[in-house]
Structure formats: structure tokens, C-alpha cells
Amino acid sequence: MDSLLFSDICRHHVSAIPMLDSDQSKHKKHGLVLDNNFGFARKPDRRGLTISRVASPLQPAIVPSPDKETVDPDKNHVAWTSVRQERWEGELVVQGEIPLWLKGTYLRNGPGLWHIEDYNFRHLFDGYATLVKLHFENGRLIAGHRQVESEAYKAAKKNRKICFREFSEVPEYENFMSYVGDLAKLFSGASLTDNANTGVVKLGDGRVVCLTETQKGSLVIDPDSLDTLGRFEYSDSLGGLIHSAHPIVTDAEFLTLLPDLVKPGYMVVRMEPGTNERKVIGRVACRGGPAPGWVHSFPVTEHYVVVPEMPLRYCAQNLLRAEPTPLYKFEWHPQSKAFLHVMCKASGKLVASVEVPLFVTFHFINAYEEEDEDGRVTSIVADCCEHNADTTILDKLRLQNLRSFNGKDVLPDARVGRFKIPLDGSPYGKLEAALNPDEHGRGMDMCSINPAFLGKKYRYAYACGAQRPCHFPNTLTKLDFVEKRAKNWYDEGTVPSEPFFVARPGATEEDDGVVISLISEKNGGGYALVLDGSTFQEIARAKLPYGLPYGLHGCWVPKK
């Protein structure tokens, strides 16, 4: 899969592309007025927790033209407002007690800047990446954030406009020829963004990489300073322009999927620590539809890779359009059906390919193998945050929708979808809820597990659920797949980001550890939160000098 992938598409679809609508009046301005005068009143916490640390002062704001973004605090939550400044670092007040064994840095990546000058972006996924760190050591907490310096971000700062194709945004074209020129760059990948705003992973060799769905959006960062060190250049000749935003990363390997839009299918590849070379394990051909299904993430077991083929499929025409369609880069093809394919990691052979009920998911949680009495693997169980085959969740993530919550319950229902894939040659797999969705408020996304149980039978997962009415997941939830129950944490008016589990060194119980999350408050504030992984009770929090935008995914970098 290389640059010919898009040029082949062009021959069939370029005539169908409409011109850009240059009217930007529908994108109204949202944001925050800067005020660098912050203080910390040392008042007793309503939970009776003790204050033990003091935050350091703010650094000067250098984000491009934030003063042009204004906000009505009664209507716009800080979670959906551009970050106040490009970078900041300081020690925080700690309320409660951080375990002394917690030594390392939690990194969280996500979109954090949703405007350039007076132009506002459309979608949550368009924002330029904001990397946040929480460094824990000796019961103290040092926090910081910094913009990831992608070429897309630097070009936008310099030129005061969007210069690359983002999730729903494209550069403004002055005339037809500039539009045609941008299409030519699209076929080579030159006009695709490298805005690495989705996830961050620590490779087995210690390098830390921010990622998104374009391969060029793989950027190496320094986990201490948050400096952007440069692009992660793949040294192989596999080519291609896109990959799964969520590779499977362990100390031993890096696994990912490369979708092929010309000959619909997926290449399964592995990269060993210390190298930049991906090697092919095998290839899966799609069984339905005009293009591969979107593979934002995928699961693995100890011996197998599960390749999902979702009926929400990549769309070549939508990739080329100058204005977004309702499903952006994708199209819903229910008639193409849905499939799960199982590939042996060792041989690259396909051991199962089953049709399953229609599904929509961004995030798989985990998968594991089931054995019979003789130790033979008979089936695979794969869990995901499943949106009841409803694609409207993508539209709910438009910034206009996120910023206009009026108290009505508009969040589409979601569940933990549990697939069962037989390995006996049966043509069909099953999909059902792993537990009653009412246990977590019928909201479900942004999940993590104890990494020691990756690909193995597990009991617990941590995710974001819902306290209704809401328009976005607003709780943290601990899922127990044995008892089929959930414990939920909720703070009214807040938007919590992905709960990230860190195991206690030497732990023998699956849930022995802590859960870390960053919380955005309705009053414009925010705090870091630490929950006990077992009881799911709060053990510490640390107030930030100002609330941060909602973030997506994180990783843990242990102290050396």
C-alpha cells in the first residue's frame, strides 16, 4: 500500500467532488478570555482531605491569538474550550495521600486547541494535540502540558490558518487550481495531517510516541519536558498512509493494522523494540463492502490477532471532499455486514472468519482465548465499547453539539459488547452485552485494563459511563465481568477523561493499584484524580491552576 493507493482512487472519484464552501459564518467563536492572575485559597476541602503541596505560578501564554476566542461560561464547558496557553508546568496541591509506590509519569494526549485566529474547528477530533503529564514521586505531583509541535500545528501558527487536512477540516482554497493542487498532495500523503492528537504509547525500547490515524502523525516526544523530538520514521517499504490509531504495544512488540483502500483488506504487522521496521505477519481480505471497515482499534489474545471488519467503512469520495459529509471520512454500509477475522500471530494464517451482528465501536477493551478440558482453544472472547450499531455518536462529537448541552438526555446508548468467535469453522459469531448496560448508565467508552492481563482472561476494566441526563460520558466506572456489576464515580458538572489503571508493583490481585483521570469542571476549573483500583474510592486529588480541555488516551512511563 503506497501513494498509488490514493491515485488509483482518484481515477474513479475526482469528478464527483464538490468545491469548498468558503462561508465560515456558521463556525461561531468559542473559548476563554485569558487571565493569568491565579491564586489558591487554602480552604478546607468538603471531603475533609488535607492539603500538602502548593502549585507553582503560571508561565506566559504563547498560544496563537487566544484573545480572539471568547466564551460564555454558562454555555461552554472548559472541556470543549481551547487550552489557555501553549505550555505550563508546576507542582500541585495534593489533597489526600498519593501512594508512595506510585513513581512515574502519566501522559495523556488529545485535541486541545480548536481554533486558529477567529476560525473555529468543527469536530472534537480536529483539535491540535495537547499533551498533559502528571509526574508522581514521593507523594508529590508535578503537572504540565504542552502543545505537540506537529508540522500541521506549526504551519497553522505561522500562517494563521489551517494548512493540512484534519479529521473534518481542510485548508481554505483560494481558487479551483489550489483545490486541485491539494488533491495532488493528498494522493502522495503530503496534505494529510501529522497532528498526533489521539494517543501516546511507550515502546519496548523506551521511546515515547504520540499517534493518530495517519502514519506520518507518529511523533516522538520527551516524556519529561514534553518536547517534540521529531517524526517516527518507519524504515520499511510497506508504504501506506493510514494505520490503526491504537496499536498493541508491550515491552516485547508493537502490533498494528494497515488498511488497504485499493484492494480492500488489512495488513497485520509487527515491529520489534529498538527498530523502526514493521514486518508483515499476514493479510486479511475484506469479505464485504467497497472498502475496509474503520479500524480505530483492535484486540489481541496470547496467540491471535482479531481483525474487525466494521460496516462503518472508509470512503474514498469522502476522503477527497472539500466539505465534510455526515459521517466524515466514512460511510455506513449495513448491507455489507460485519465480520471478525482471527489470525495466528506465529504463522500469519487465518484460523477463523465469522459474520457477527452489526456493530459500531471506537475502542476494543481486551480479548482472550477459551479452552476445552484438553487445553485446546475453542473460541475467542473479544470485548469492546459498542454503540448499538448506531453511527450518530460521530455527529454527537461535533463541537457545536458538545458546547450546546441544554440538560436533555441525548447521549446515544452504549454497552460493553462481548463477541464470541468460534474456532471450529462455524460461519457465525455472537455479540451480546457483557453486563446490563444500566449498571454504567448506558454510556460506555474510553477503557483501560491492568496491562498484565492484556490478551488474557480478565475480570475488571475501567471506563467512562453515564449519569443521565447527559450528552457525553460523565462518570468513571469500574466494570466487574464476574459479578456483572459496576462501581461508578460521579462529580456533578464534570467531564472526566479516560480512567487509566496503574498496578501496584508486586501486586497479586488484578485490581490492586490506582486509577488516574483528569477532570474538567463546569466552573472552568479542573483537577487530577486518583482512585483506589479495588474500592474505587477517591484517595487523592490535585487542583490544576485552570481546567484543561478534554483529552483522549494515555500511557504510563515508570520512573527509571
Side-chain angles (χ1 to χ4, degrees):
M1 208 173 79
D2 52 27
S3 60
L4 291 176
L5 180 154
F6 282 99
S7 59
D8 288 344
I9 292 169
C10 177
R11 298 191 192 107
H12 301 288
H13 296 292
V14 70
S15 62
I17 310 305
M19 285 299 294
L20 172 71
D21 177 3
S22 61
D23 179 13
Q24 298 180 10
S25 63
K26 57 188 175 183
H27 303 306
K28 300 298 182 182
K29 293 184 286 184
H30 301 277
L32 277 166
V33 178
L34 290 185
D35 181 356
N36 283 340
N37 299 315
F38 293 93
F40 293 88
R42 304 188 67 175
K43 298 180 180 178
D45 182 76
R46 60 186 173 87
R47 292 168 176 77
L49 301 175
T50 58
I51 295 176
S52 59
R53 302 290 174 226
V54 178
S56 65
L58 291 174
Q59 302 300 319
I62 53 176
V63 76
S65 303
D67 56 306
K68 292 198 174 185
E69 207 181 32
T70 60
V71 62
D72 179 348
D74 294 328
K75 294 183 179 179
N76 293 277
H77 200 291
V78 69
W80 323 121
T81 305
S82 289
V83 66
R84 288 193 177 196
Q85 54 186 23
E86 189 174 72
R87 62 187 301 180
W88 173 84
E89 181 173 314
E91 186 171 353
L92 300 183
V93 172
V94 174
Q95 304 171 348
E97 186 173 340
I98 294 174
L100 294 179
W101 59 259
L102 189 63
K103 297 180 180 180
T105 302
Y106 168 65
L107 297 173
R108 188 198 72 176
N109 193 13
L113 181 66
W114 290 294
H115 78 287
I116 290 295
E117 293 290 300
D118 59 354
Y119 181 83
N120 268 266
F121 302 169
R122 297 179 179 91
H123 200 277
L124 174 67
F125 297 159
D126 287 322
Y128 293 117
T130 300
L131 189 64
V132 182
K133 77 170 183 180
L134 298 174
H135 178 73
F136 298 89
E137 189 169 3
N138 299 324
R140 301 171 64 180
L141 175 54
I142 296 174
H145 68 78
R146 185 170 183 178
Q147 293 305 108
V148 176
E149 293 189 319
S150 61
E151 292 301 319
Y153 173 68
K154 291 188 291 185
K157 281 207 306 181
K158 178 181 178 180
N159 297 288
R160 298 179 178 271
K161 64 179 181 179
I162 295 171
C163 299
F164 290 83
R165 286 174 171 258
E166 305 295 339
F167 180 79
S168 77
E169 298 287 348
V170 296
E172 182 180 0
Y173 305 118
E174 297 178 358
N175 51 51
F176 178 75
M177 291 310 297
S178 65
Y179 168 68
V180 173
D182 182 69
L183 287 183
K185 293 180 181 178
L186 174 62
F187 305 141
S188 68
S191 70
L192 291 177
T193 188
D194 66 341
N195 176 24
N197 68 357
T198 304
V200 55
V201 297
K202 184 184 79 70
L203 303 183
D205 55 31
R207 290 179 292 178
V208 178
V209 183
C210 290
L211 296 165
T212 189
E213 302 214 351
T214 63
Q215 292 188 33
K216 66 188 286 189
S218 303
L219 304 179
V220 183
I221 62 98
D222 184 313
D224 298 319
S225 67
L226 304 186
D227 288 348
T228 302
L229 303 179
R231 184 169 295 170
F232 187 95
E233 299 284 0
Y234 297 100
S235 61
D236 53 71
S237 59
L238 296 180
L241 302 177
I242 56 178
H243 57 185
S244 173
H246 289 281
I248 302 294
V249 182
T250 68
D251 288 341
E253 64 184 358
F254 172 106
L255 299 169
T256 195
L257 303 181
L258 308 182
D260 186 342
L261 306 192
V262 174
K263 188 178 180 182
Y266 312 89
M267 199 178 298
V268 183
V269 301
R270 174 190 287 115
M271 183 173 68
E272 295 181 357
T275 75
N276 290 39
E277 182 182 5
R278 300 163 299 180
K279 296 181 179 180
V280 177
I281 298 174
R283 188 183 188 280
V284 175
C286 288
R287 289 180 57 183
W294 185 22
V295 283
H296 186 70
S297 68
F298 64 99
V300 300
T301 70
E302 291 186 86
H303 302 101
Y304 302 101
V305 177
V306 179
V307 180
E309 184 180 343
M310 190 164 57
L312 182 62
R313 298 179 181 273
Y314 297 98
C315 177
Q317 283 183 286
N318 290 354
L319 285 168
L320 299 175
R321 290 184 187 277
E323 279 286 280
T325 65
L327 291 179
Y328 304 94
K329 312 303 182 188
F330 315 105
E331 277 190 343
W332 180 241
H333 291 277
Q335 74 285 353
S336 72
K337 303 180 180 180
F339 305 92
L340 292 178
H341 314 279
V342 180
M343 178 178 290
C344 175
K345 287 183 185 179
S347 68
K349 293 182 179 179
L350 205 61
V351 300
S353 180
V354 299
E355 181 182 340
V356 294
L358 301 182
F359 68 98
V360 169
T361 186
F362 297 161
H363 302 116
F364 277 86
I365 302 172
N366 198 17
Y368 59 89
E369 300 160 13
E370 291 188 318
E371 299 179 346
D372 62 17
E373 295 177 352
D374 298 322
R376 292 174 297 190
V377 178
T378 58
S379 62
I380 288 175
V381 172
D383 294 337
C384 69
C385 303
E386 205 278 305
H387 298 277
N388 292 318
D390 182 0
T391 61
T392 59
I393 186 63
L394 272 174
D395 187 64
K396 298 298 182 184
L397 299 181
R398 284 193 299 126
L399 290 168
Q400 179 181 351
N401 291 332
L402 294 172
R403 290 168 171 167
S404 59
F405 180 53
N406 59 7
K408 294 183 179 179
D409 191 21
V410 295
L411 177 68
D413 286 357
R415 60 180 176 168
V416 177
R418 171 159 287 185
F419 293 100
K420 187 165 185 178
I421 310 167
L423 300 186
D424 61 1
S426 300
Y428 300 102
K430 296 179 180 179
L431 171 60
E432 58 187 18
L435 74 166
N436 187 335
D438 287 331
E439 284 286 321
H440 47 79
R442 305 185 321 280
M444 178 52 49
D445 216 335
M446 312 304 286
C447 47
S448 75
I449 62 169
N450 184 331
F453 288 79
L454 175 67
K456 302 175 183 178
K457 191 166 186 178
Y458 70 121
R459 177 173 180 174
Y460 301 111
Y462 302 89
C464 290
Q467 176 74 34
R468 306 280 178 163
C470 61
H471 72 318
F472 192 84
N474 58 358
T475 70
L476 300 175
T477 182
K478 178 185 179 182
L479 306 166
D480 184 333
F481 296 126
V482 173
E483 296 292 335
K484 297 190 180 299
R485 300 296 301 271
K487 294 179 180 179
N488 299 289
W489 175 94
Y490 174 68
D491 188 357
E492 184 180 0
T494 64
V495 178
S497 64
E498 175 186 69
F500 191 88
F501 180 84
V502 180
R504 182 180 63 83
T508 57
E509 298 296 325
E510 182 181 345
D511 59 351
D512 185 357
V514 298
V515 174
I516 302 169
S517 182
L518 283 156
I519 313 297
S520 301
E521 298 178 283
K522 63 181 179 181
N523 63 1
Y527 56 92
L529 178 70
V530 182
L531 302 176
D532 184 284
S534 177
T535 66
F536 215 52
Q537 296 296 308
E538 177 177 331
I539 58 176
R541 68 168 60 189
K543 186 77 174 177
L544 293 160
Y546 48 86
L548 294 175
Y550 180 76
L552 297 176
H553 305 287
C555 74
W556 178 252
V557 181
K559 181 176 173 58
K560 296 178 182 178

